[in-house]
Amino acid sequence: MRTTWADRLKAFFAKDGCSYWFEHFTDEEKELRRMNSWQLARVIHEETVRSQNPEKRIVAEHMLQVRVAKIQNRATYVSVVVGFIGILVGAALSAMLQ
């Protein structure tokens, strides 16, 4: 696992460096955040079948829903910008034709 400069700086200023690194490397939420969609789906499926750790399944489902929402928001923003540009071009063309 790679460590960023920000993590190293946080560890340097942490009260207890050993506990900081232990929390850093054992944090399951950070591990889920780094997974792609297929890996998250695999975790959701495994936790649904095994039912040993329902909290991990809930967090993985939430992470997947957040990613889908970000993709949908990006598409919405693009359509708004394209629509606004279309309005401006249409107004400019109608002003030129008069």
Side-chain angles (χ1 to χ4, degrees):
M1 173 185 276
R2 295 182 305 162
T3 56
T4 62
W5 284 102
D7 289 332
R8 292 178 187 174
L9 191 63
K10 288 177 191 175
F12 182 74
F13 288 109
K15 290 181 181 178
D16 186 15
C18 294
S19 66
Y20 174 82
W21 286 115
F22 179 77
E23 290 294 324
H24 176 73
F25 287 115
T26 59
D27 191 6
E28 289 183 12
E29 190 173 335
K30 283 184 182 179
E31 180 183 344
L32 289 174
R33 245 183 272 131
R34 290 186 180 113
M35 290 182 178
N36 63 17
S37 300
W38 291 102
Q39 291 170 332
L40 283 173
R42 186 176 299 122
V43 168
I44 292 168
H45 174 70
E46 288 174 359
E47 295 303 323
T48 303
V49 171
R50 284 191 278 161
S51 299
Q52 291 177 352
N53 194 359
E55 294 87 8
K56 188 173 182 179
R57 181 182 56 84
I58 292 169
V59 172
E61 285 177 352
H62 174 71
M63 298 269 182
L64 196 57
Q65 289 174 354
V66 166
R67 288 186 187 177
V68 169
K70 284 182 182 179
I71 291 169
Q72 290 173 342
N73 284 342
R74 203 172 305 138
T76 303
Y77 292 144
V78 168
S79 67
V80 166
V81 169
V82 169
F84 186 69
I85 291 171
I87 290 171
L88 292 177
V89 169
L93 286 176
S94 69
M96 283 185 208
L97 294 176
Q98 287 181 357

